[in-house]
Amino acid sequence: MNGSRRPVPAGPPGVSRRIVLAFLTSAAGAVGFAVTYGLGGQTQWEGICLAVAFAGLAVGLAIWGRRLVPVGGYVEEHEGFTPAPTEQAMTAAALTAPDSPVRRRGLLAALGVALTALGAAALFPLRSLLPWDRTRPVEALKDTPWGPDVRLVTSDGRPLRPEDVPANTMVGVFPEGRLDAGDAPAFAVRLEPERFARPPSGGHLGGLVAYSLLCTHAGCPVRIYLKGTGRLLCPCHQSSFNLYADARPVAGPAARSLPGLPIEVGPDGFLRARGDFTGPPGAGFWSRP
């Protein structure tokens, strides 16, 4: 049974402005996401910008649908897919009326700006999937801040001389200027060269050697040094490395030797690296098939 149809609501003053403001806020959030991602990315701010973009779009569409879109005041049984002539006439009148939503050009333009900005912002993360000017993940894991002429410093930034590493003492070292690099921690220790069963992969300076501090099982720092034995223990899963056999694992779950760090004495008398680690530091699970 047909009933009377409610007229198209004109909406209270300011509704259109609120919708436009919501859509422009959505566009601003999308632009903010794109700018943040383009400048290097910061997870928290990217999330906030996306939340603002989607929230603005949702608020704008909700207000538009509740306050400006006409609602039907009739109920009828479905009699086919072709609307009745009276219904077609009512639809045409609603779409061509001066206050019809589709004739509010400002609202449609603001919606277009919001959707365009959000769509453009969504394209930025695709850059991470492109190979241009990007290093393969496995290759990136092999590169650390260590390199030729990088000085070895302590945790407080003090450069080391060879005499600063006494016998049977393990000294933590870092690349100068990059104390915060997670893949760079290493250690220097003075051993007895005549006891080497295998030569150190990074070479040695009268028994002074340097290796990565990160266990090759799960990346824990190997901090327990058994003086006189040349054994280094990982406190996390009890892997044991023999420094006299090029830091080869002799017990525990670790299956790879600690990467060596080639060192030399610079013209200033301080210890310097001759290059990067002899292998990828830390856990090696990423390289397994």
Side-chain angles (χ1 to χ4, degrees):
M1 180 176 65
N2 295 336
S4 60
R5 180 182 178 278
R6 296 180 185 177
V8 177
V15 170
S16 296
R17 288 194 297 272
R18 289 163 55 191
I19 298 175
V20 170
L21 179 62
F23 289 156
L24 295 181
T25 300
S26 174
V31 172
F33 170 81
V35 171
T36 304
Y37 186 89
L39 294 178
Q42 210 283 338
T43 306
Q44 289 79 5
W45 282 110
E46 289 176 355
I48 291 174
C49 290
L50 280 180
V52 170
F54 284 112
L57 189 63
V59 169
L61 291 175
I63 298 176
W64 193 340
R66 289 179 61 86
R67 308 303 294 273
L68 296 181
V69 175
V71 293
Y74 57 90
V75 177
E76 65 178 359
E77 296 180 358
H78 189 277
E79 298 179 354
F81 293 99
T82 302
T86 55
E87 189 174 330
Q88 296 182 30
M90 287 169 27
T91 301
L95 294 178
T96 57
D99 54 357
S100 170
V102 298
R103 301 191 65 178
R104 298 175 185 264
R105 301 188 179 219
L107 300 184
L108 293 176
L111 176 60
V113 170
L115 293 176
T116 301
L118 192 58
L123 296 177
F124 275 72
L126 294 178
R127 186 186 66 173
S128 302
L129 304 177
L130 299 177
W132 307 327
D133 299 328
R134 294 194 175 271
T135 306
R136 292 171 56 87
V138 172
E139 296 299 326
L141 288 170
K142 296 180 181 179
D143 296 327
T144 74
W146 292 108
D149 295 327
V150 177
R151 294 202 298 184
L152 280 65
V153 300
T154 60
S155 58
D156 57 0
R158 179 176 59 86
L160 282 176
R161 298 180 184 272
E163 55 269 24
D164 294 330
V165 184
N168 292 320
T169 300
M170 177 179 169
V171 178
V173 296
F174 304 85
E176 188 173 30
R178 294 295 306 275
L179 300 180
D180 59 341
D183 56 353
F187 68 90
V189 63
R190 190 177 297 277
L191 304 172
E192 300 173 29
E194 61 274 10
R195 295 179 58 187
F196 285 140
R198 293 172 58 182
S201 58
H204 68 95
L205 300 174
L208 180 62
V209 296
Y211 286 95
S212 169
L213 190 66
L214 304 180
C215 179
T216 54
H217 170 236
C220 300
V222 285
R223 279 291 193 180
I224 303 177
Y225 178 56
L226 304 180
K227 297 181 180 180
T229 66
R231 295 292 181 93
L232 194 63
L233 303 180
C234 175
C236 293
H237 305 98
Q238 290 72 55
S239 292
S240 177
F241 301 88
N242 185 358
L243 298 181
Y244 282 110
D246 193 23
R248 181 174 60 89
V250 293
R256 196 163 52 91
S257 299
L258 295 175
L261 179 66
I263 57 176
E264 63 182 0
V265 179
D268 54 2
F270 292 107
L271 292 172
R272 296 174 179 267
R274 290 187 288 107
D276 207 338
F277 288 121
T278 57
F285 60 86
W286 48 265
S287 63
R288 298 175 184 174

